[in-house]
Amino acid sequence: MKQLLKKTIYIGLSGLILCSTSCKREFLEPKPLSFYTPEETFSSADGLWATLVACERNMRIETHGDGAPIVTETIYSDIAVSGSTDKPGPAIDLNLVITPDGNLDNIEFENRIGWYWREGYRAIRYANTAITYIDLPQDYASEEERNQLLGSAYFYRAYRYYRLTQQFGDIPLILEEPQGPKLDFYSTKREVILRKMKEDLEFAQEWVPDGGVKGRVTKGAVSHLLTKVNLALGLFDDAIQSATNVINGGTYALMTERFGAYVNDATRNVIWDLHRPENKSLASNREALMLVIDRINIDGNVSGGTRSMRNALPNWGNTGNVTPAGNRATSDQPGAEIDQVTAYGRGIARVRPVWHTQKEIWTDGTDLRHAPGNWMDMEDLVYNAPSLKGKDPYYGKPLQYRNDRGTILTNDTIRNWFSWPHYKLYVEDPQRVTPDGGNSDWYVFRLAETYLLRAEAYFWKGDLASAAADINAVRNRAQATPITAAEVNMATILDERTRELYYEEPRKSELTRIAYIFALTGKVAENGKTYSLETFSRDNYFYDRVMAVSDFYNKGVRTNFGVPYTMSPYHVLWPVPIGAINSNTQGVINQNEGYSGFENNVPPLTEIIEDGHARAAAE
């Protein structure tokens, strides 16, 4: 019975949501023919490797599918907002909608906070299974294989704990597979969790190799994640070293020359090559540290591809755009004489970049990331509705935002009109009549980010010359003008991350991590302010950065339904789902400040004891 419970009841903290104290006892009783024994399942190395395949799938579905969770990470940050103005549901008014007992996992509302909690702990469960039974198989090819598998499991667990601690702060720490149902979780201090993850990643860095099967953990990915953990802990020298291990390790390099499927297309450039689905997992692509693999008919693929164009392009092909003559302007139907939907894809603007992302950061006219063919402005589209031909003189001419009288020619300036990085979001979609983003491998970690992480570590240490050199390594590849040491501050680094990593990085998590470091160090930000951990949820760099660059949140902007874009400082951390708190009847999972239930918190656990659990320092 005990072994059955390990499989059917414990599913991370999502188990606390699914089974409250009202569960009847017979629900817990084993049924014949349903026994699960690790001695059989994990008696071979292949059995344990299979548990990590589940971790790989868990990682893939963050960036793939309609309303992919990465949308939430993007729009609840400084670089974008929700463009779903056609209905009142999406979490646009964050002050009203993001609550512990609200709908925290709804694709149509573009709120996947609950997904991150549930799937984060589900992935931790998968990794803990491999860790718990690591010495059960007797058929390892060598001690090296055993340690590689263990190091890979450590990576997946650390990846999720890193993300969860940036999203939710202090959370329960689970380091082994429980031997039965558990309802006595307590929150553990964020720094304690991260120190344990650092220890595990340092082991993994030694044993996980580079190369091998695409989609598996690499040494480069381990060191990259370790760099983020080191930064989050304020260990800047360690962060520089772990990043340098990747940059100078001889395996990886920024892609500066043309390569892959489009190498003979003179109209394209290396930025285009880098983000082509066909090129991401090529052996010649030395920039990819960690990938998720997504192909048509791949096992466990239920996302239907990236849906990247649907998620992040404007709703350009609807009836809301008209020509200066007053006729319907654009058509997103394939096969038209001017077929724009096949060339660019169809979007519904789940992600709508702010003005800063679209325009303000692109002052350098030589930057390949913003070059024609890579970057799309609305004026690059033309009036292509078939009904216009022969009737409207604007047929085939570029779209206009206003007519000669100054009248705006779209009925929704939020959803229907904005710029986007075509090179990154365009994914051919042969399985759909109207393409919105087909199957594609996707970067989890890429060397360009490693350079920007090391630049950040140098910034925290005050070595602005070294920070500028690392930023310029990324800018030089894009043929952008180098910056000087005097120009380096956190805003500079964040702007470069926007140019390089838009819709690729989990922006909310990374911005919260940076806000933590400002509070930890007391370093003066570019806005002249200092911050502290004591007032983190009331006054933080995350909120101030969003207010500085967003032209939506708290600016009086409303959707067509009259919904205002609002945000508060406490949104630096997300609410812990109320179901997880209420189901945990024998312990206390803390709520974050600013949300209902915070008043019931108890001091978080601060030490890890020998059996792998955390405890309070006074115990």
Side-chain angles (χ1 to χ4, degrees), residues 453-524:
L453 290 172
R454 192 171 70 173
E456 185 189 328
Y458 282 128
F459 161 79
W460 294 117
K461 285 178 60 66
D463 185 352
L464 302 187
S466 295
D470 278 346
I471 294 170
N472 285 334
V474 177
R475 291 181 63 78
N476 289 342
R477 187 263 297 283
Q479 297 181 16
T481 304
I483 64 168
T484 66
E487 296 176 87
V488 175
N489 57 34
M490 185 51 66
T492 310
I493 295 170
L494 284 169
D495 286 351
E496 199 61 42
R497 290 186 70 95
T498 304
R499 296 183 192 99
E500 187 68 24
L501 301 170
Y502 179 80
Y503 203 78
E504 189 176 341
E505 66 168 329
R507 182 70 171 206
K508 169 65 172 59
S509 290
E510 295 305 296
L511 189 53
T512 294
R513 173 183 60 75
I514 289 167
Y516 262 122
I517 300 173
F518 270 118
L520 176 68
T521 62
K523 189 177 180 72
V524 180

Side-chain angles (χ1 to χ4, degrees), residues 355-422:
W355 182 257
H356 185 75
T357 300
Q358 295 181 66
K359 301 293 184 181
E360 288 182 344
I361 64 173
W362 299 108
T363 58
D364 194 328
T366 64
D367 197 320
L368 291 179
R369 296 166 296 191
H370 202 250
N374 281 345
W375 188 270
M376 287 291 296
D377 293 316
M378 293 299 294
E379 294 83 357
D380 296 323
L381 297 172
V382 300
Y383 297 116
N384 73 325
S387 60
L388 300 178
K389 189 174 181 181
K391 300 178 181 179
D392 191 311
Y394 289 94
Y395 178 74
K397 294 183 179 180
L399 268 58
Q400 295 180 208
Y401 185 63
R402 299 177 186 269
N403 63 19
D404 294 340
R405 299 183 300 277
T407 303
I408 295 175
L409 300 175
T410 179
N411 66 2
D412 192 333
T413 60
I414 297 174
R415 191 174 190 228
N416 299 348
W417 195 278
F418 57 83
S419 305
W420 71 94
H422 174 59

Side-chain angles (χ1 to χ4, degrees), residues 74-80 354 356-357 494-495 498 507-508 511 542 545-547 549-550 553 567:
T74 304
I75 65 178
Y76 296 167
S77 75
D78 57 329
I79 61 174
V354 301
H356 185 75
T357 300
L494 284 169
D495 286 351
T498 304
R507 182 70 171 206
K508 169 65 172 59
L511 189 53
F542 166 86
R545 166 71 181 183
V546 175
M547 293 304 106
V549 303
S550 176
Y553 287 122
M567 178 184 282

Side-chain angles (χ1 to χ4, degrees), residues 61-81:
I61 57 179
E62 180 181 3
T63 53
H64 287 61
D66 185 21
I70 196 68
V71 168
T72 296
E73 277 273 3
T74 304
I75 65 178
Y76 296 167
S77 75
D78 57 329
I79 61 174
V81 296

Side-chain angles (χ1 to χ4, degrees), residues 167-189:
Q167 294 165 333
F168 300 97
D170 299 339
I171 56 173
L173 174 64
I174 308 168
L175 295 176
E176 59 185 19
E177 186 174 350
Q179 300 302 300
K182 183 174 172 62
L183 300 173
D184 61 347
F185 293 101
Y186 284 84
S187 296
T188 298
K189 195 169 179 62

